[in-house]
Amino acid sequence: GAVVSQHPSWVICKSGTSVKIECRSLDFQATTMFWYRQFPKQSLMLMATSNEGSKATYEQGVEKDKFLINHASLTLSTLTVTSAHPEDSSFYICSATPRAARGELFFGEGSRLTVL
Amino acid sequence: KNQVEQSPQSLIILEGKNCTLQCNYTVSPFSNLRWYKQDTGRGPVSLTIMTFSENTKSNGRYTATLDADTKQSSLHITASQLSDSASYMCVVRGGSYIPTFGRGTSLIVHP
């Protein structure tokens, strides 16, 4: 089946540093990628929708200067958490919709960010 | 406004018992509905996908139903196992293929 890979799967960083998380569709071209964050025992919260070659659309309350999203190719989207703070510690998940099957939605395995 | 409501919020059952999770939605127009299972610390994994014309779909011990008229779906788990302990999420996609997520049902299966 279709695979969406996230890297890194976990990362620990110091407060004030920036962290980049990659989301790759390994065997399909993704027209749209979604980024979510999830706090413990809570549901997924959509952060932004990213279409290849265009600017990401952010959900209300999500700071676009804080969470930089780049969707430079049909197989790669990146989320950069800038000047990370402890409250940014969370589980970040991406999902992707194949160009050839817009009704499908495949999730990555998630990336756990811990900011010290 | 497109919404997906799931119930119950959490559920605890004994191993071997059956259970049913509910999903009500207001997404329109309707494209498809998926049930996902998310283990703690992992990404969601698709269990079933249902389109407008499908009423029932099974995947092993998981059986999903869809009533497009009442905009309701259910996920029935038969003979639960400890490994079924997870969060189950209902995701509905509308005409623009933008997904609307339910808040999930947390299922705990006790031995």
Side-chain angles (χ1 to χ4, degrees):
Chain A
V3 177
V4 175
S5 173
Q6 279 187 241
H7 178 80
S9 56
W10 59 270
V11 57
I12 301 173
C13 70
K14 293 182 178 180
S15 185
T17 61
S18 295
V19 175
K20 179 184 286 187
I21 301 171
E22 293 186 348
C23 177
R24 293 181 184 273
S25 55
L26 298 185
D27 53 0
F28 64 91
Q29 293 182 330
T31 53
T32 306
M33 287 184 169
F34 304 90
W35 286 96
Y36 319 81
R37 67 187 300 180
Q38 185 177 38
F39 294 107
K41 298 185 180 181
Q42 305 233 347
S43 60
L44 295 179
M45 184 188 78
L46 180 65
M47 298 175 66
T49 302
S50 170
N51 291 301
E52 187 267 338
S54 61
K55 291 184 178 180
T57 302
Y58 289 81
E59 295 299 301
Q60 191 172 7
V62 178
E63 301 175 58
K64 60 181 180 181
D65 295 328
K66 172 76 171 176
F67 300 99
L68 300 179
I69 292 173
N70 183 283
H71 192 163
S73 76
L74 284 171
T75 59
L76 173 65
S77 177
T78 60
L79 168 67
T80 301
V81 182
T82 62
S83 187
H85 289 96
E87 57 265 31
D88 298 324
S89 299
S90 188
F91 192 54
Y92 293 89
I93 302 176
C94 72
S95 69
T97 292
R99 163 180 276 189
R102 294 186 64 201
E104 296 286 350
L105 186 64
F106 300 103
F107 285 87
E109 280 292 310
S111 300
R112 180 158 304 281
L113 170 64
T114 300
V115 184
L116 302 177
Chain B
K1 181 181 178 181
N2 291 336
Q3 288 186 314
V4 176
E5 300 288 340
Q6 288 188 243
S7 61
Q9 184 176 357
S10 60
L11 182 62
I12 301 173
I13 61 174
L14 293 176
E15 186 179 13
K17 298 296 184 181
N18 304 334
C19 67
T20 301
L21 314 180
Q22 298 290 343
C23 173
N24 298 336
Y25 62 93
T26 61
V27 177
S28 182
F30 174 85
S31 178
N32 61 50
L33 182 149
R34 275 188 186 272
W35 283 94
Y36 288 89
K37 177 187 179 188
Q38 185 183 18
D39 293 311
T40 301
R42 306 292 296 273
V45 174
S46 178
L47 295 175
T48 64
I49 179 171
M50 303 187 75
T51 57
F52 186 86
S53 59
E54 296 175 304
N55 299 120
T56 303
K57 184 170 283 188
S58 293
N59 177 6
R61 294 180 296 104
Y62 300 103
T63 299
T65 66
L66 174 65
D67 186 333
D69 292 330
T70 61
K71 297 187 177 181
Q72 296 179 324
S73 177
S74 67
L75 180 68
H76 186 75
I77 304 175
T78 305
S80 61
Q81 300 176 358
L82 298 180
S83 59
D84 292 331
S85 295
S87 178
Y88 292 83
M89 188 167 57
C90 176
V91 181
V92 182
R93 303 194 82 168
S96 62
Y97 294 104
I98 299 297
T100 302
F101 291 82
R103 297 183 67 83
T105 292
S106 175
L107 174 64
I108 298 174
V109 181
H110 280 313

